Amino acid sequence: MNPANLLLMSIPALVALAGGILAAFWHPSRNARSLIQHFAAGVVLAALAVELLPEISREHAPGPVLAGCFALGSLFMYALKLWAMRMAHQGALSGAAGAGTQGLFAATFIDIAVDGFIIGAGFATGGETGPILAIGLSAEVLFLGLSLTSDTIKGWRIVAVSGALGAVVLAASLLGSFVLSGASNAVIGGTLAFSAAALLYLVTEELLMEAHEIEEKPVSTLVLFGGFLAFWTIQLVGV
C-alpha cells in the first residue's frame, strides 16, 4: 500500500473521531444539525455528479452490468432501511432503554462500511478518484460523528463509538482497495454503480429527510449548494 494513499484513506477515520470528540462537548441544535445535513447532502451529490458517475463512464463496463449493479445497490439499501425500521419498532415495543437506537447504530455502521468500500474502490481505479472521494465523504462522516448524541450515549462514550466508526471506514477502504486492485473494468464499474445507488439513497432517504423533519429555513438551500460547490472546488483544483 502506497503510504500516501494510506494517509488519504485515514482522513475519514480521523474526521469521524474528531466529530465524536466535538459531539462530546457540543450538542448542536436541531436547526444547526439540519444545516450540517444540507451541507453534507450537497457534498455527496457533488461526489456523485462530478466524480463517481464520470468515473463509471471511464471504466467502459457493459451497460447491463452497470444497470444491474445499480439495481442491486438500490435493493440493498432498501433492505437495510426496512431492517433498521424493524429494529427500531421492536425496540420501541420492548420498552428497553436504548433498544430503539440499536437498529440505528447497526445501520450507521453498515452505512459507514459501504462508504469506506466506495473510497477503496476509488483508489483501485487510480487517478484522483480515491483521494477526492476520501476528502468529500469526510463531510458525511463528520455529520455521523456529530449525530451520535442520544439519551443512551453521551460524553466520552460518543468518542469511543466515533473511533469505532473511523476504524470501520478505514478497514473497509483498505479492503475495497485490496479486493479490487487489478480487477476488470466490468467489476470496478459494477462496484462503482452499486456505490452510486448507495450514495443516492444516503442523500434522498437519510440526510435530506432527516434535515426536513424541522421547518426548513431559506438559508438551507444555500448551504446545500455550498456543500456541492465545496466538493466541486476540490475536484477542480485537483487536490
Side-chain angles (χ1 to χ4, degrees):
M1 169 65 65
N2 186 328
N5 286 348
L6 180 60
L7 179 61
L8 289 167
M9 286 184 187
S10 301
I11 291 176
L14 296 175
V15 169
L17 181 59
I21 294 174
L22 182 60
F25 299 98
W26 175 54
H27 306 305
S29 66
R30 296 193 67 184
N31 284 328
R33 288 183 60 184
S34 176
L35 292 177
I36 294 172
Q37 287 167 321
H38 276 86
F39 185 86
V43 170
V44 176
L45 282 174
L48 273 168
V50 305
E51 190 60 39
L52 194 56
L53 294 179
E55 182 61 35
I56 291 174
S57 299
R58 287 192 292 267
E59 290 301 320
H60 302 294
V65 171
L66 298 180
C69 289
F70 186 90
L72 285 176
S74 304
L75 291 173
F76 174 80
M77 299 309 294
Y78 177 69
L80 178 62
K81 179 178 182 178
L82 292 180
W83 178 72
M85 291 174 60
R86 180 179 179 184
M87 289 283 290
H89 180 67
Q90 290 178 343
L93 289 178
S94 68
T101 63
Q102 293 177 358
L104 174 62
F105 283 160
T108 298
F109 272 90
I110 294 174
D111 276 346
I112 209 72
V114 171
D115 290 344
F117 200 84
I118 293 171
I119 293 170
F123 277 97
T125 65
E128 299 177 352
T129 302
I132 290 176
L133 287 176
I135 295 172
L137 292 182
S138 293
E140 177 211 343
V141 175
L142 175 62
F143 164 73
L144 290 176
L146 289 173
S147 66
L148 288 173
T149 304
S150 70
D151 293 334
T152 57
I153 175 172
K154 296 179 179 179
W156 289 103
R157 290 184 62 191
I158 300 175
V159 180
V161 174
S162 298
L165 285 173
V168 169
V169 71
L170 179 57
S173 299
L174 293 171
L175 178 63
S177 178
F178 175 77
V179 170
L180 296 175
S181 179
S184 66
N185 290 346
V187 171
I188 293 180
T191 301
L192 293 178
F194 183 99
S195 303
L199 291 182
L200 187 60
Y201 167 86
L202 172 70
V203 172
T204 58
E205 295 297 319
E206 288 190 3
L207 290 173
L208 290 181
M209 283 191 67
E210 291 180 14
H212 292 160
E213 287 180 356
I214 64 171
E215 184 178 356
E216 184 177 348
K217 297 182 178 298
V219 72
S220 299
T221 302
L222 289 179
V223 174
L224 175 70
F225 284 102
F228 192 104
L229 180 59
F231 183 93
W232 193 17
T233 301
I234 292 173
Q235 195 265 354
L236 289 174
V237 300
V239 175

